[in-house]
Amino acid sequence: MTAVVSRPGGVGAASPVGRGPARRRRHRLADRPWSLWLALSYVAVLAVAALAPGFLAPSSPTAVDYAAALLPPSLEHPFGTDESGRDLYTRIVHGAADSLSIGLGAAALAIVCAIALGALAALGPRPIAALVDRVIEVLFAFPTLLLALLLIAITGPSATTQIIAVGLGSAPGYARMVRGQIRQAAGSGYVEAAVALGHGRARILRRHVLPNALRPLVAVAALAVGQSIVWASSLSFLGLGVAPPSPEWGALLDAGRPYVIQAGWLIVIPGLVIVALALAATSIGRHLQHRLESGARA
Amino acid sequence: MTRSSWARPAVRIVGNAVGVLVGAATAAFLAQTALPGDRATAILNIRAGQAELRTPEELAPITAEFGLDRPLWQQYADYLLGLVRGDLGTSYLQFRPVGAIIGEQLGATVVLAITAIAIAWMLMVVWIVATGGRGPRLTALGSLVDVTTAALPAYWLGIILLLVFALGLGWFPVLGDGTPLSLVLPALTLAIPLAGFLAQATRTEFERALEQPFALSARMRGQSDLGVRLGHVLRHASLPAISLSGWALGATLSGAVVVESIFSRPGIGQVLVSAVSSQDLPVVVGVVVLTAAFYVAANLLVDLASALVDPRQRAA
């Protein structure tokens, strides 16, 4: 089995270096099952909120009650109310569908572009590979948020633009990762062995290089969804994404900004929902990554 | 050391950097031509803040001002030559050179970014030296904090710091008033997540270096634990984090966009946000290209320094 010798490299910002015994011995709180269960249950709750918001929050997200404006969190309004007396908990639950679809859409776009660019740079015919290689390096010089802002400046802000901007903005980083994974797989011992056995190029690509190079992307995809939601909400926070009165989480942040002094919960709580999702995505992604790596070693 | 042993990789590194810069400028030029529809009409409508068809008489001065009637390759060549001379183009809305608009605000952002990176390194070093390789419990706590802080978005962390330390405790001013004290919270907002990222990059290497023979021999010479950690292990383990410097500078400059907005600090972030919302493309492109240039320059310095310091990289 080729899997015996394959060791897809680590993904994520932290792990280009440490492999071998030191790495196996590390115990990381963030990777223990309880944190994984916590992360999975949080994602499950958000999925219910996105698919059936009425189940978690029966009242209307747009029900205005000026007598109850800017109330701090209480038993009746667990997350408090906004300037029109709308219940923040209800609004967050009803905003889950928009926020999650923006995150999933942007992450999917980023990963698809990354695979296309990364595969071309690593495996394409020479002149094209060299060109795509340079393009990835050039685009990587633009930080994600700035590349996204550049795209929004060209097209004007909207929900669709936000997905495209975040997706394309974060693609170069993932493309570098894919390119590295493919090159590592292509230069590995098991590919050398397959070449020595006389297997054809297409077969080696299909059977050995691509499966081993792309498997770690499952973990990257989990991380990418969390990151995309953070980037998208940053754009909304700046007033350059989905605009209020939408209950999309970034739009909630933007709407809460004028009241930050008298009603801080309007930003702190939606922000906490997003941060928790980013952490849950990180935890799930790291767990997947460890499982893939230990599976490949076993 | 002979001259050619380091001159060749230096030429290659500088060549790569120039290549990325030219590529970034090309992308910037293409972005400006990518406005949907006729460019002169688009510029006029951006200025007027409305979308309507324009007569040729209205368009003529715009076409002349921005040289839109010339072939694209000529516009491209002019743009590149302009960049070499430090000319970033003219704002659609402010009728001023982009270089001047950015130049007025650049200082504040650079001060913020450099302060943030310095604080991030201090936080990271203290945290890693304190928790690195001290048994499973502290290591687990350490890496949990690394991962958590690295995931904090600037808008959220900034608001929390603002609510707690400026409004709650009153230790710092709420708005950026230009005093050194008003720099603290914005810089911390950028520094805390960056410290988390740097710590993730450093921790593995730090734990490995602690077990290396050089650490053992330093202990045998009678050096204290702290002395070994600071003097030998940290030096060895900081290489991965140093190689992230270019990325860190880019991330800090783009984080500054959000932070300047929260704390109402002047800077290129504020310039960028208002330019994006009014579609003042030359200003947007100017800020983005400048940031890319900072990234390339930082990477260039890191690569050259490590090629000089580390003989293994010279062979490559």
Side-chain angles (χ1 to χ4, degrees):
Chain A
M1 270 303 283
T2 52
V4 178
V5 270
S6 81
R7 273 222 308 235
V11 288
S15 49
V17 271
R19 239 167 259 138
R23 186 184 170 86
R24 231 168 296 165
R25 227 180 310 119
R26 274 180 336 204
H27 299 287
R28 297 208 153 174
L29 208 55
D31 299 322
R32 286 191 187 164
W34 66 265
S35 67
L36 181 70
W37 283 115
L38 203 64
L40 287 174
S41 10
Y42 183 63
V43 170
V45 170
L46 291 184
V48 172
L51 297 173
F55 180 71
L56 292 176
S59 48
S60 160
T62 49
V64 171
D65 177 7
Y66 288 102
L70 296 179
L71 289 181
S74 64
L75 275 181
E76 197 187 344
H77 299 288
F79 290 175
T81 62
D82 69 5
E83 74 280 8
S84 319
R86 293 174 293 197
D87 181 51
L88 185 60
Y89 167 74
T90 309
R91 286 179 70 66
I92 288 178
V93 168
H94 284 262
D98 277 357
S99 306
L100 293 183
S101 8
I102 291 176
L104 286 172
L109 181 65
I111 301 269
V112 168
C113 292
I115 291 178
L117 286 175
L120 264 181
L123 303 167
R126 221 159 215 289
I128 297 178
L131 180 70
V132 176
D133 210 40
R134 302 310 303 174
V135 168
I136 293 177
E137 288 310 312
V138 166
L139 290 180
F140 190 72
F142 299 113
T144 303
L145 188 65
L146 297 195
L147 199 51
L149 286 173
L150 180 61
L151 292 166
I152 289 177
I154 294 172
T155 56
S158 77
T160 324
T161 312
Q162 204 172 0
I163 294 177
I164 296 175
V166 172
L168 295 185
S170 49
Y174 299 127
R176 275 181 123 209
M177 217 179 273
V178 173
R179 183 183 65 188
Q181 300 280 0
I182 294 181
R183 282 196 182 143
Q184 197 189 346
S188 63
Y190 53 86
V191 166
E192 213 172 299
V195 172
L197 286 172
H199 292 314
R201 188 179 148 84
R203 176 173 169 176
I204 293 175
L205 265 186
R206 203 178 60 242
R207 292 281 302 274
H208 302 293
V209 176
L210 290 181
N212 282 303
L214 299 186
R215 202 176 297 132
L217 281 185
V218 180
V220 174
L223 296 173
V225 174
Q227 273 305 304
S228 298
I229 289 180
V230 169
W231 289 126
S233 57
S234 300
L235 292 176
S236 303
F237 178 82
L238 292 170
L240 298 169
V242 178
S246 159
E248 192 266 333
W249 299 337
L252 290 180
L253 296 170
D254 188 23
R257 289 184 69 184
Y259 308 98
V260 62
I261 291 177
Q262 64 270 46
W265 60 87
L266 286 178
I267 290 188
V268 171
I269 294 177
L272 194 59
V273 170
I274 298 168
V275 170
L277 178 58
L279 288 175
T282 309
S283 165
I284 294 170
R286 288 165 67 95
H287 183 80
L288 283 173
Q289 181 188 335
H290 276 236
R291 272 190 60 161
L292 289 168
E293 282 181 7
S294 53
R297 256 198 304 268
Chain B
M1 194 202 306
T2 60
R3 191 182 159 78
S4 64
S5 70
W6 55 266
R8 203 177 311 143
V11 168
R12 183 177 50 83
I13 290 168
V14 172
N16 274 346
V18 171
V20 173
L21 268 185
V22 172
T26 309
F29 174 76
L30 291 176
Q32 293 186 66
T33 60
L35 273 177
D38 174 53
R39 246 181 104 195
T41 312
I43 293 171
L44 208 55
N45 283 336
I46 286 169
R47 279 187 176 169
Q50 50 195 239
E52 55 187 59
L53 278 177
R54 301 288 178 170
T55 60
E57 292 79 58
E58 281 181 300
L59 295 177
I62 299 286
T63 307
E65 183 186 346
F66 290 94
L68 299 176
D69 50 347
R70 288 168 309 145
L72 209 56
W73 65 266
Q74 209 175 344
Q75 294 183 37
Y76 174 59
D78 282 355
Y79 181 71
L80 285 190
L81 285 176
L83 283 185
V84 172
R85 289 196 312 266
D87 175 9
L88 289 163
T90 307
S91 159
Y92 291 164
L93 286 169
Q94 299 191 34
F95 306 95
R96 289 200 298 150
V98 173
I101 297 171
I102 294 177
E104 286 163 9
Q105 306 289 337
L106 187 62
T109 304
V110 167
V111 168
L112 174 63
I114 289 176
T115 313
I117 291 175
I119 295 179
W121 270 92
M122 284 192 283
L123 291 176
M124 185 275 275
V125 165
V126 170
W127 184 240
I128 288 286
V129 169
T131 63
R134 302 236 191 239
R137 262 165 206 283
L138 261 182
T139 302
L141 173 73
S143 67
L144 181 70
V145 171
D146 298 349
V147 173
T148 311
T149 50
L152 294 177
Y155 58 77
W156 194 68
L157 184 57
I159 294 281
I160 298 276
L161 293 176
L162 185 77
L163 287 175
V164 173
F165 294 103
L167 289 166
L169 298 171
W171 291 356
F172 301 101
V174 176
L175 298 176
D177 55 5
T179 60
L181 209 56
S182 72
L183 185 63
V184 175
L185 291 183
L188 271 180
T189 307
L190 292 172
I192 290 172
L194 182 59
F197 272 112
L198 295 176
Q200 286 184 41
T202 310
R203 188 173 295 279
T204 319
E205 205 52 33
F206 190 86
E207 286 170 5
R208 255 214 304 220
L210 268 177
E211 294 165 6
Q212 295 286 317
F214 67 78
L216 183 66
S217 72
R219 278 185 220 281
M220 282 166 64
R221 286 197 304 273
Q223 242 183 336
S224 68
D225 182 53
L226 188 66
V228 174
R229 280 168 177 263
L230 284 174
H232 296 273
V233 177
L234 182 70
R235 220 173 112 185
H236 201 77
S238 55
L239 278 175
I242 290 176
S243 68
L244 283 176
S245 294
W247 171 84
L249 186 61
T252 310
L253 287 173
S254 69
V257 175
V258 174
V259 167
E260 286 171 2
S261 169
I262 295 173
F263 293 95
S264 310
R265 268 181 71 84
I268 55 170
Q270 295 271 39
V271 171
L272 180 63
V273 172
S274 67
V276 170
S277 50
S278 58
Q279 293 202 293
D280 192 350
L281 220 43
V283 176
V284 177
V285 166
V287 173
V288 173
V289 164
L290 195 65
T291 310
F294 276 126
Y295 163 88
V296 171
N299 264 354
L300 180 66
L301 290 179
V302 170
D303 287 352
L304 285 177
S306 58
L308 275 178
V309 171
D310 187 346
R312 286 168 300 183
Q313 294 187 20
R314 248 177 267 142

